[in-house]
C-alpha cells in the first residue's frame, strides 16, 4: 500500500514544480493550503499584500485541483481555523490520517523553527525538501562564503553566472568583456516621457473581489489602500506582466534603474518581485528570456546584465546571507540606533517631498523601487538614527514582495548598516544632493536642497553630517568614508555645531 502523504503548501510556494510535489503521487497525496491569522498578523501587512497573497493562494488551489491533486484548502473564516500552520496541520492530520508529511522549506526562520518541531509534535515522519526555486543551495552559499573576510555580492554573482552560463561567451568569458555594467546605469530619468511603459492593470475577478471585501473589513486597521489593487494573481497573468516588461521596459531598465520621478512610481522597473517571490514566475527562466532578447539585439547589454545581476546576483546573495546569519540577525544594531520610526511612515504626511512620494506610493501600491527603498526611506531612517528592528518591521509590512529572507538583509544590512557591513562596504548615507541628482523631487519640495542650515534647508543635509559626527567612533576607520570624514574635519567648530544643532532641532520636531 502506498503511503498517504500530507503536503502543506505555503502562501509563497505557489509553484507547480515545487520540490515537495516532485515525484508525489496524485492519488495518495493531499495538498494542504491554509489561510491562518498567525501569517496575516505576525506583522501588520499592507492590506494589498494580504489580498494579493490570499487571492493568489485561492487561484493556485484551483489550478492544482485542475491538475488532479487532492486539495484541502482552509479559509481564514473557517470557524474551526486554529490560526497557525501547526494548528492547521494538526487538524489536517485528524481529517486525513496521513502516514507522512512532506513540505518544502519555508522562507523565514520563524516558520523553519516551527516545522523543525513537527516530527516530534505529530509523531509522523516529516521530510523538509530544499527549495530548489533558488539557484544556490544553502551549502553552496556557505562553501563560497567560508573563510572569506568580506562577502562581496559581485564575486558571488560571477559564480552564479558561471553556474547558469548566463551572458557568457563560448570561452566562458563575460559577454562584452566585463562582468558588470553598473557604471552605465545611473542616469536620471527624462521627465514627461510619453513613452513611459505602463504595467498591466489586472481587473479583479470574482475570487479576488471576495478576498478584497474580506480584507477591507477584517484588516481595516492595517496600513495601505486597496483602491489601486491591480496585481496579477495567477501564473498566466504574471507571465503577461513578465512579457509586458520584457517588451516595453527592459530596453531602458539599465539606463534608468536608479532614477526617481514625481507621480511615476514604476518607471522602467519590472514589478515582478511579488510574483517571483511567491512562485508564480521562475527567476532563472526569466533571466534566460532576458539573455535571449539581448542576443536578438532587442535589449542592450547594460540592461540585460543589470537585470540578470539583480536576480541571480542580489536576490540569491541576500538569501544566502539570511540563512547563514541565523535567527539572531534581526537583533543586530551596529550603530546603536534607538529612535522610534516616525509616524509619517504610515501616512506619507510630511513636507519632505521625496519621503512623501516614496511613502505615498508605497501605501497606494505596496511598491517602491530599489533606490526609493534604499536612498529615500532607508537613508532617512538611518540618518535619523531609527531603531533598525522597527525599520525592518515596516519594510516587511508594507511591500507586496516582502518575506524575511529577502527583506531583512536588504533592510538591516544594506540600508541600515546594522550588521556592521556584511553586505556593503560602507553605509548608504547620502545628503540631499544625491536625491536631487537622481530625481525631480527637490523641484517640488518646500525645502531647498542646496541649503544646509536655516528654515528652508533640506533636512537630509544636516542629518547627513550629524550621522557622520554621531557615529565617528564606529565609522572613522572605514577607508571608504575617509573622504567625508576629511571634509568634516575641515569644517570649523562653529560650522560643525551649527549643522549638529540644525539636525537636533529637526529630530526634536520629529518626536
Ligand atoms: P526591478 O528593479 O525590476 O528588479 C528586478 C528583480 O531583481 C526584482 O523583481 C527582484 O526580484 C530582484 N532584485 C533586485 N534587487 C534586489 C535585491 N536587492 N534583493 C533581492 N532581489 C532583488 N526585494 C524583495 O523582493 N522583497 C523585499 O522585501 C525587499 N525589501 C527591500 C528592502 C530594502 C530596504 C531595499 C533597499 C531593497 C529591498 N528589496 C526587496 C530589493 C528591491 O528593492 C526589490 O526587489 C525591487 O524593488 C522589486 O521591484 P521590481 O520587481 O520592480 O524590481
Ligand atoms: C504573508 C502571508 C500571509 C499574509 N498570509 C498567509 C496565509 O494565510 N497562509 C500562508 O500559507 N501563507 C501566508 N503568507 C505567507 C507566509 O507568511 C510565508 O509562507 C511564510 O512566512 C514563509 O515564508
Ligand atoms: Fe527631499 Fe531635501 Fe529634496 Fe526636499 S529638498 S525632496 S527633503 S532631498
Amino acid at each position: 500500500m502506498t503511503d498517504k502523504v500530507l503536503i502543506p503548501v505555503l502562501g509563497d510556494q505557489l509553484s507547480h514544480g515545487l520540490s515537495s510535489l516532485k515525484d508525489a503521487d496524485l492519488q495518495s497525496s493531499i495538498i494542504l493550503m491554509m489561510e491562518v491569522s498567525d501569517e496575516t498578523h505576525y506583522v501588520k501587512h499592507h492590506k494589498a499584500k494580504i489580498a494579493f497573497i490570499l487571492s493568489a493562494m485561492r487561484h493556485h488551489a484551483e489550478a492544482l485541483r485542475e491538475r488532479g491533486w487532492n486539495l484541502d484548502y482552509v479559509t481564514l473564516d473557517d470557524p474551526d481555523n486554529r490560526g497557525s500552520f501547526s494548528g492547521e496541520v494538526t487538524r489536517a492530520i485528524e481529517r486525513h490520517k496521513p502516514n507522512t508529511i512532506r513540505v518544502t522549506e519555508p522562507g523565514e526562520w520563524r516558520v523553519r523553527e516551527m516545522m523543525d518541531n513537527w516530527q516530534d509534535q505529530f509523531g509522523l515522519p516529516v521530510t523538509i525538501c530544499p527549495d530548489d526555486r533558488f539557484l544556490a543551495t544553502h551549502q553552496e552559499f556557505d562553501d563560497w562564503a567560508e573563510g572569506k573576510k568580506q562577502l562581496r555580492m559581485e564575486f558571488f554573482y560571477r559564480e552564479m553566472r558561471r553556474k547558469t552560463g548566463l551572458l557568457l561567451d563560448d570561452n566562458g568569458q563575460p559577454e562584452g568583456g566585463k562582468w558588470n555594467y553598473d557604471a552605465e546605469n545611473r542616469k536620471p530619468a527624462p521627465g514627461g516621457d510619453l513613452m513611459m511603459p505602463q504595467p498591466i492593470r489586472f481587473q479583479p475577478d470574482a475570487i479576488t473581489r471576495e478576498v478584497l471585501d474580506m480584507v477591507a473589513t477584517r484588516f481595516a486597521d492595517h496600513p495601505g489602500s486597496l483602491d489601486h489593487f491591480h496585481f496579477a494573481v495567477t501564473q498566466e497573468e504574471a507571465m503577461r506582466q513578465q512579457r509586458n516588461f520584457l517588451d516595453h521596459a527592459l530596453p531602458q531598465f539599465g539606463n534608468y534603474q536608479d532614477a526617481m520621478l514625481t507621480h511615476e512610481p514604476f518607471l522602467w522597473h519590472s514589478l515582478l518581485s511579488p510574483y517571483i517571490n511567491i512562485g508564480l514566475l521562475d527567476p532563472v527562466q526569466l533571466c534566460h528570456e532576458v539573455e535571449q532578447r539581448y542576443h536578438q539585439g532587442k535589449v542592450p547589454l547594460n540592461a540585460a546584465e543589470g537585470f540578470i545581476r539583480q536576480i541571480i546576483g542580489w536576490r540569491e546573495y541576500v538569501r544566502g546571507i539570511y540563512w547563514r546569519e541565523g535567527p539572531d540577525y534581526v537583533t543586530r544594531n551596529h550603530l546603536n540606533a534607538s529612535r522610534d520610526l516616525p509616524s509619517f511612515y504610515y501616512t506619507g504626511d510630511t513636507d519632505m517631498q521625496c519621503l512623501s512620494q516614496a511613502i505615498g506610493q508605497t501605501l497606494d501600491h505596496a511598491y517602491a523601487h530599489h533606490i526609493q527603498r534604499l536612498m529615500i526611506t532607508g537613508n532617512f531612517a538611518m540618518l535619523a538614527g531609527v531603531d533598525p528592528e522597527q525599520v525592518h518591521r515596516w519594510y516587511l509590512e508594507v511591500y507586496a514582495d516582502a518575506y524575511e529572507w529577502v527583506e531583512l538583509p536588504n533592510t538591516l544590512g544594506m540600508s541600515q548598516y546594522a550588521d556592521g557591513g556584511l553586505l556593503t562596504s560602507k553605509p548608504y548615507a547620502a545628503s540631499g544632493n544625491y536625491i536631487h541628482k537622481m530625481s525631480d523631487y527637490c523641484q517640488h519640495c518646500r525645502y531647498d536642497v542646496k541649503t544646509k542650515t536655516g528654515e528652508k534647508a533640506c533636512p537630509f543635509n544636516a542629518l547627513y553630517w550629524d550621522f557622520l559626527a554621531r557615529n565617528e567612533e564606529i565609522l572613522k576607520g572605514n577607508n571608504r568614508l575617509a573622504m567625508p570624514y576629511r571634509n568634516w574635519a575641515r569644517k570649523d567648530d562653529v560650522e560643525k555645531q551649527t549643522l549638529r544643532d540644525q539636525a537636533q532641532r529637526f529630530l526634536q520636531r520629529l518626536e
Side-chain angles (χ1 to χ4, degrees), residues 342-392:
S343 56
F344 67 70
Y345 273 67
Y346 287 99
T347 60
D349 191 7
T350 160
D351 55 9
M352 289 174 278
Q353 171 76 354
C354 50
L355 281 158
S356 127
Q357 283 287 311
I359 295 168
Q361 72 167 71
T362 296
L363 297 173
D364 282 350
H365 302 286
Y367 179 81
H369 70 67
H370 187 71
I371 292 300
Q372 294 174 307
R373 298 187 203 195
L374 186 64
M375 301 310 294
I376 308 288
T377 42
N379 180 28
F380 182 83
M382 182 173 67
L383 296 185
V386 178
D387 170 10
E389 201 164 339
Q390 292 189 35
V391 184
H392 146 64

Side-chain angles (χ1 to χ4, degrees), residues 351-355 376 431-436 439-450 456-461:
D351 55 9
M352 289 174 278
Q353 171 76 354
C354 50
L355 281 158
I376 308 288
S431 68
N433 198 28
Y434 174 87
I435 297 169
H436 182 47
S439 78
D440 67 351
Y441 294 150
C442 305
Q443 294 168 30
H444 308 279
C445 186
R446 90 153 189 84
Y447 294 106
D448 176 9
V449 70
K450 301 277 181 213
K456 282 192 72 74
C458 165
F460 279 82
N461 294 338

Side-chain angles (χ1 to χ4, degrees), residues 297-424:
K298 294 178 177 164
V299 168
L301 185 53
N302 68 313
E305 187 281 318
F307 188 82
I308 287 172
R309 176 162 24 90
Q310 305 311 312
I311 304 252
I312 67 168
W314 280 112
R315 187 171 184 273
E316 291 283 333
Y317 167 80
V318 297
R319 176 181 186 252
I321 298 269
Y322 175 76
W323 289 108
R324 187 177 157 77
E325 290 307 306
D328 295 339
Y329 186 55
V330 67
T331 62
R332 303 226 189 135
N333 189 353
H334 186 64
L335 301 177
N336 305 313
S338 59
R339 184 176 303 282
D340 283 338
L341 188 74
S343 56
F344 67 70
Y345 273 67
Y346 287 99
T347 60
D349 191 7
T350 160
D351 55 9
M352 289 174 278
Q353 171 76 354
C354 50
L355 281 158
S356 127
Q357 283 287 311
I359 295 168
Q361 72 167 71
T362 296
L363 297 173
D364 282 350
H365 302 286
Y367 179 81
H369 70 67
H370 187 71
I371 292 300
Q372 294 174 307
R373 298 187 203 195
L374 186 64
M375 301 310 294
I376 308 288
T377 42
N379 180 28
F380 182 83
M382 182 173 67
L383 296 185
V386 178
D387 170 10
E389 201 164 339
Q390 292 189 35
V391 184
H392 146 64
R393 286 179 74 83
W394 182 77
Y395 280 95
L396 192 55
E397 285 169 351
V398 298
Y399 291 110
D401 58 17
Y403 301 88
E404 211 180 69
W405 66 266
V406 54
E407 176 278 327
L408 185 65
N410 269 302
T411 303
L412 196 98
M414 193 187 315
S415 93
Q416 300 302 296
Y417 204 70
D419 61 9
L422 209 56
L423 272 90
T424 157

